[in-house]
Amino acid sequence: MKRYAVFGHPVAHSRSPRIHAAFAAQCAIELEYTKIDASPDAFAGAVAAFGRAGGLGANVTLPHKLAAAALCEQVSDRARRAGAVNTLVRASNAWHGDNTDGVGLVRDLQARHGLDLHGRRTLIIGAGGAARGVAPALLDAGIGALVVANRTPASARTLLDAIDAPASARACGLDSLPMLGAFDLVINATAAARGDGLVALPASLVHTGSAAVDLGYGAAAAAFLDWARDAGAGVQVDGLGMLVEQAAESFMRWHGIRPNTDPVYAMLRADDGG
């Protein structure tokens, strides 16, 4: 049996096993896909033990995406630009890293929600592994001016430097948000904006043509999407479609087959009563 897993802390909520089981059934592939909860201190050891036990690949979620990059003998160009890894591939007794978050987000926004990203003035809230994962792909998709806002502005600047952002890209603190005007695309990429309640976001950040995207899904995305709706953003998108699309990209890295994501996305929406 081919062994795969998702690493996180916490990870009990993860839908990755259900997604990959559906992909495997669709593609007639037998596999075992489990959840592994590892604290930051235990993460490296847990990944090593999984490899020794025959693990062939893994997904990595919060808070380990940055740490996962350090465990890899090689990383893809998109993982290098992001400085974060969400997909591990076992090859020649070593881990190779990739980051499928960005391509998953772009594919979901363009193909599923019909959004033209070209030229959109874009705000990313947060500068952690999730933001690093999606920012390069958004730039490659042709977004317009980019602003990254974070509690610590220096971390936002570090992100822009790491992803080779254009000189026009700007880093700022959350206290600068009221002075930034409206954006065509606002992405919530920070768990801090969800865990203890949404940070104060001015309604001036969006207009009727704006798309507001939370990289989380379910209850984790509710506060931000409620804010976006109340503020007048014309489109609100949670991260469920991105989750499915990035998983499909991981699945293709492991098995060489791209699954059909639409029925799996519909399955998860049905699970939520949507």
Side-chain angles (χ1 to χ4, degrees):
M1 183 71 70
K2 297 179 178 180
R3 298 189 61 200
Y4 300 86
V6 56
F7 288 85
H9 185 66
V11 78
H13 66 285
S14 176
R15 296 186 172 188
S16 292
R18 182 154 165 74
I19 292 170
H20 283 275
F23 288 161
Q26 182 187 119
C27 299
I29 294 173
E30 292 189 7
L31 58 79
E32 174 189 84
Y33 190 110
T34 58
K35 304 174 187 179
I36 300 177
D37 193 319
S39 69
D41 289 343
F43 173 64
V47 171
F50 179 67
R52 289 194 299 270
L56 298 177
N59 291 123
V60 180
T61 188
L62 294 174
H64 301 313
K65 293 182 181 183
L66 299 182
L71 303 181
C72 297
E73 183 175 278
Q74 295 180 8
V75 297
S76 67
D77 182 64
R78 57 193 178 190
R80 178 195 60 78
R81 290 174 68 197
V85 162
N86 81 327
T87 301
L88 294 170
V89 182
R90 192 72 172 170
S92 301
N93 293 318
W95 291 112
H96 293 207
D98 197 359
N99 194 305
T100 65
D101 282 336
V103 67
L105 175 64
V106 169
R107 194 170 288 148
D108 179 56
L109 295 181
Q110 291 180 331
R112 181 166 290 112
H113 298 285
L115 294 181
D116 182 1
L117 300 180
H118 191 266
R120 284 187 179 249
R121 185 172 189 246
T122 299
L123 170 66
I124 298 177
I125 304 170
R132 283 174 173 257
V134 302
L138 290 168
L139 290 170
D140 291 347
I143 60 169
L146 172 64
V147 177
V148 177
N150 194 58
R151 289 186 186 275
T152 307
S155 296
R157 171 49 58 189
T158 297
L159 182 152
L160 293 176
D161 291 341
I163 66 171
D164 302 322
S168 59
R170 176 181 172 188
C172 67
L174 298 180
D175 56 350
S176 297
L177 292 179
M179 287 83 78
L180 296 180
F183 291 83
D184 307 308
L185 178 63
V186 178
I187 296 176
N188 178 27
T190 174
R194 299 191 286 271
D196 297 321
L198 189 66
V199 298
L201 299 176
S204 60
L205 291 177
V206 297
H207 54 80
T208 56
S210 301
V213 180
D214 197 301
L215 300 188
Y217 54 89
F224 176 78
L225 297 182
D226 286 347
W227 164 82
R229 189 175 299 108
D230 292 344
V235 176
Q236 304 94 40
V237 178
D238 71 2
L240 188 64
M242 170 185 163
L243 176 71
V244 175
E245 297 299 333
Q246 64 82 23
E249 189 75 7
S250 296
F251 191 90
M252 189 177 73
R253 283 297 314 268
W254 297 331
H255 307 292
I257 302 172
R258 179 176 294 283
N260 182 359
T261 58
D262 287 341
V264 179
Y265 177 77
M267 175 189 73
L268 296 183
R269 280 293 180 215
D271 289 347
D272 292 340

